[in-house]
Amino acid sequence: MPLEKSATITSTHFTCSCTTAGSRAASFKRGLSTVITIKAVRRAWHKRIVDHDGDGTKPGGIEKWLRLVEATGLSRDLALRSAGILPATRYAVQAYVEFVSTGSHLEAVASSLTELFSKRLITLRMDRLRQHYPWLSGGLDYFTGRLTQATEDCEFALSWVVKHAPTRREQDLAHAALRAKCDILWAQLDALYFAYVNPGWPPPGAFQPARES
Amino acid sequence: MPLEKSATITSTHFTCSCTTAGSRAASFKRGLSTVITIKAVRRAWHKRIVDHDGDGTKPGGIEKWLRLVEATGLSRDLALRSAGILPATRYAVQAYVEFVSTGSHLEAVASSLTELFSKRLITLRMDRLRQHYPWLSGGLDYFTGRLTQATEDCEFALSWVVKHAPTRREQDLAHAALRAKCDILWAQLDALYFAYVNPGWPPPGAFQPARES
C-alpha cells in the first residue's frame, strides 16, 4: 500500500503523504459525522495522494523517489523492503504518522508547513547534488516535481491554518505542531549525519557504504 | 500516570515498565477471553509494575530514577515534564511502546531479553559512574535495584520465551523482537552521543549543558 510504503521508504520529503495517511486515519476515528464536515479538507488534500501515488499515466512521487534510489546505485527492492534503513529514521517517521493520526486536523495540516521553506531548500539541494554527485542527476525528478507541488501545498495549508486558528490557543497548537515536525526532520538529519559523516558509525543492520557501494 | 512517565522520562533502563505497559495495552485489545488465558503472564509481570511504581513503603524504580536525575544537578520537574529530552530518544521509546502494544505476547516478552546482559553492564556502569562522576554516587540506587531485579526478570522472561516458542517461526519472532529492542536501545545511545559527545550538537530545544549546567 503506497502510503505505508512512503512511511517506510521515508525521507524528509514524504511530509505530505504521511500527513495524508494520518489525516485519513484520524478521520475514521472521528466517525462519520465529522468526516462529512471535513469533506472539504479531504478534497483539498486528495491532490497530495495523487501527487505521490501517481495518476496512472505518469509517475508519482513514490515512483520518482524509487528512481532516485536507483540513481544512487541501490535497488528499488532494498528501499521497498526498508532494508538497511536507519532505525532512528524509522522511529522518527513513525512518530510523525502517530502525530498526525492522533492530533487534530489543525495540527496535522500545520505540521506540513515545513514545506513553506521547501522551494529555496530544494533548489539549493538540487544544485549541490548535481555538483557533488553528478551521477545522481538523472534521478532528481522527485525534487523537480516537489518544487511546484510543495509551493502549492503549503500555500493551501497556510491559508487553511490561518483560517482555522483564530484564537491564541489554536495558534499555539499550530505552532507546536510545526515545531514538532521540525524536531522530526531534524532527528532524521542528525541520525544520517551520525551514521555516515561524523563520527560515521552506522548501527548494526543499517546500510554500510564501504561494503555495499 | 507512572507508566507513561516512565516512557517519557525514559532511558535504556525502563525496559520492563514499557514492556509492562505494552502488554497491558495488548491485553485489552485482545478481549476478555484472551485476558483469562494470559492471566499467568500478567501475574508474573505484575512484579515489574511494583518494581517501578513502588509498593507504597519504599521507593520504586521511577522514584529512584528521579533521584538519579537530581543527583546530576537537574530538577525532577524537568524530567517529569520531559523538558529538554532529545526528540530521537522520545521517538525510540514511542517505537518501543508501539512494538510491545501491537506485537504478540511472545514478542513483547522476548524484547525484554536485553536484560540478560544487564548485570554485567550495570556493574561496569556503576563502577565507571563512581569513577568519572563521583558526585552522582548518592543517586545510583536505581542501578543497585536493577542488579537484582533485572536478573530475576530476565530469568523468568527467558524461560517463558523458551517454553512459548517451540517452533522455528516463533523462535524467529522472538529473535527479531530482541533484535528490534537492541535497535531501539542503540538509537538512544547514538542520539545521546551525537548530541553531547561527537559532534556534540544538541538539537534545538534539547538540554544544553553549557547554558543549563
Side-chain angles (χ1 to χ4, degrees), chain A residues 87-88 91-92 94-95 98 179-180 183-184 186-187 190 193-194 198-199 201-205, chain B residues 87-88 91-92 94-95 98 179-180 183-184 186-187 190 193-194 198-199 201-205:
Chain A
Y91 308 147
Q94 283 175 344
E98 174 73 11
R179 186 73 179 66
D183 284 344
I184 287 167
W186 197 291
D190 279 359
Y193 196 91
F194 178 89
N198 182 15
W201 296 341
Chain B
Y91 307 148
Q94 283 176 343
E98 175 73 11
R179 185 73 179 67
D183 284 343
I184 287 167
W186 197 291
D190 279 0
Y193 196 91
F194 178 89
N198 181 16
W201 297 341

Side-chain angles (χ1 to χ4, degrees), chain A residues 12 86 88-89 91-92 181-194, chain B residues 86-89 91 191 194 203-204:
Chain A
T12 58
L86 291 174
T89 308
Y91 308 147
K181 171 68 175 304
C182 289
D183 284 344
I184 287 167
L185 299 179
W186 197 291
Q188 291 181 59
L189 295 174
D190 279 359
L192 200 66
Y193 196 91
F194 178 89
Chain B
L86 291 174
T89 307
Y91 307 148
F194 178 89

